[in-house]
Each structure stands twice: as C-alpha cells, then as structure tokens.
C-alpha cells in the first residue's frame, strides 16, 4: 500500500512538472507568435543593405562605430560583410580597419608593401549600398559602381606594428530605426573590478540555465536581439 502511495505521489509530481513546462512553452510560443506578427514588412524597393567588400592582403580587424564586426588572422581573402545587423538607424557612422602583420612577417611588423605593393596588388575596401533581390543570381538587383564605392587606402610610411585607417560613411536609406544598444552604458566608464564581478555572475547564471536544461529561459534572453536582427535583415515572418 505504501509503495502504491509513493508511485501515485511521483506520478502527480511528474504531471505537475510537465504541466508547468507545457504552460511555459505555450507562453513562450505565444510570445514568439506575437513578435512574428508584429515584424514590420518593407516593400522590396525600400530594402536597402549596406556592405563592406574587401580584397585583403594581410590579417585585419574591422570596426563599425568601435564595434569589432569582422577579423581574419590569415592573409589573402575576398569577402563581403553585411553591416545592417550593426546599423540601428540612418546617419553618420565610422568605419575603421586595423591592418595586422602577416603570419610570416619578420619582426612582427606591417610593411608598406603589405598594404600597397603596386597598382594591381594592394588592399581594396568598398562601401556599397544595394537592394537585395533573391530572384537574381547575384543576390542583388542593380550593378555596383566599384570606382565610386572604393575607400582610399594609404600605406604606412614605414614598418609599423599596427596600421589603422578610418572613414566616415553615410547611411541614408534604411527604412527602420532600432533601439539596439542605444540605451546601453559605456563599460569603459564603469569600475572594472565591479564590472568583472557582474560579468562572472551573469556568466554563471547562463551556465546554470543550460546545465539545468532551462533552454526556454535561455532563449528568452535573446528574443529582442533576434527580433531586431530579423528587422535589419528584412526577414519574412516565415523566416523569423
């Protein structure tokens, strides 16, 4: 008889846990549906994207408004980086690149010829505005004027550990205005020891959520990020 009572208690506890879990999942699902339904949809003619295209010769770090958005530790890549996920709104922005020494560089220095060897063998950076078009083989609709889009690169006057260049760029045609990190704090102005404690505490919170299988609570922390990223990438509700 006692064993039967124990089994019944365990069964009731399992049912309660499942009910709580299902209730939580249902709440999250409803929240996701509500966000999906509120996702703004812009006509194709307003879906502008901003791209940095680079033909690289050395390792580098690329920053937009002091945010590190791309880097390579090797040499010689041709790549395009979409800026929209880092652009909250139209206006003036600052693009910066840090040229780093080649892996095989003597004395670990950037040499002028690493940046501009001659007119045909050199770094190239382009800031491009385009409209995406999934039906086009290239993924965008209009031709790109690379001569107009090119940003001027200057080689360092001598061998140097790191060489930096900055450009002011103007973003004019984004149809959205996002909150993002606009209300955030400048972490450099905070007490660094206190900040370190807060970071470790929050990291442990995230780790515990994952270790305890609380995936929904973990995903809830990113829902605003996911939503605003979906807006910046012009996601359809189905994709979102």
């Amino acid at each position: 008889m006692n064993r039967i009572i124990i089994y019944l208690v365990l069964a009731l506890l399992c049912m309660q846990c499942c009910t709580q879990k299902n209730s939580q999942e249902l709440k999250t699902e409803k929240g996701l549906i509500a966000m999906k339904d509120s996702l703004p949809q812009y006509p194709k003619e307003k879906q502008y994207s901003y791209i940095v295209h680079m033909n690289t010769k050395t390792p580098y770090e690329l920053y937009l408004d002091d945010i590190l958005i791309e880097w390579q530790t090797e040499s010689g890549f041709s790549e395009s980086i979409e800026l929209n996920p880092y652009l909250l709104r139209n206006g003036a922005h600052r693009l910066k690149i840090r040229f780093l020494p080649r892996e095989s560089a003597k004395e670990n220095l950037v040499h002028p010829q690493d940046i501009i060897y001659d007119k045909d063998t050199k770094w190239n950076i382009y800031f491009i505005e385009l409209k995406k078009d999934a039906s086009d083989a290239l993924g965008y609709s209009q031709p790109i004027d690379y001569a107009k889009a090119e940003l001027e690169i200057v080689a360092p006057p001598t061998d140097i550990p790191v060489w930096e260049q900055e450009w002011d760029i103007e973003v004019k045609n984004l149809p959205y205005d996002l909150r993002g990190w606009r209300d955030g704090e400048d972490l450099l102005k905070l007490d660094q020891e206190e900040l370190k404690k807060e970071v470790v505490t929050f990291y442990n919170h995230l780790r515990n959520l994952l270790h305890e299988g609380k995936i929904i609570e973990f995903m809830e922390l990113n829902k605003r990020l996911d939503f605003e990223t979906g807006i910046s990438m012009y996601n359809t509700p189905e994709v979102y």
Side-chain angles (χ1 to χ4, degrees), residues 7 11 19 36 48 65 86 89 103 113 131 135 138-139 141 168 172 174 182 186 223 227:
Y7 287 157
T19 301
K36 183 193 77 169
Y48 284 91
D65 297 331
Y86 308 97
R89 55 186 166 185
E103 307 93 313
Q113 61 268 28
K131 293 179 185 177
S135 63
L138 294 175
S141 56
D168 291 318
K172 299 179 180 179
L174 291 177
R182 194 180 300 172
D186 185 346
K223 67 180 182 180
F227 183 70

Side-chain angles (χ1 to χ4, degrees), residues 86-131:
Y86 308 97
L87 296 170
L88 301 183
R89 55 186 166 185
N90 291 317
H93 296 271
R94 193 77 168 167
L95 192 68
K96 181 177 77 172
I97 193 161
R98 300 180 78 239
F99 301 99
L100 306 175
R102 295 176 183 270
E103 307 93 313
S104 58
K106 292 182 179 180
E107 300 177 347
N108 203 32
L109 297 174
V110 176
H111 308 290
Q113 61 268 28
D114 293 337
I115 310 302
I116 301 176
Y117 186 79
D118 58 34
K119 65 181 182 68
D120 298 316
T121 307
K122 64 185 181 68
W123 262 82
N124 298 106
I125 301 180
Y126 306 91
F127 173 62
I128 300 165
E129 177 191 271
L130 53 80
K131 293 179 185 177

Side-chain angles (χ1 to χ4, degrees), residues 165-183:
Q165 263 196 268
E166 295 185 354
W167 300 271
D168 291 318
I169 57 175
E170 188 73 22
V171 173
K172 299 179 180 179
N173 291 310
L174 291 177
Y176 59 78
D177 189 322
L178 303 178
R179 185 184 70 187
W181 52 88
R182 194 180 300 172
D183 300 329

Side-chain angles (χ1 to χ4, degrees), residues 15 143 148 170:
M15 289 175 63
K148 185 178 179 180
E170 188 73 22

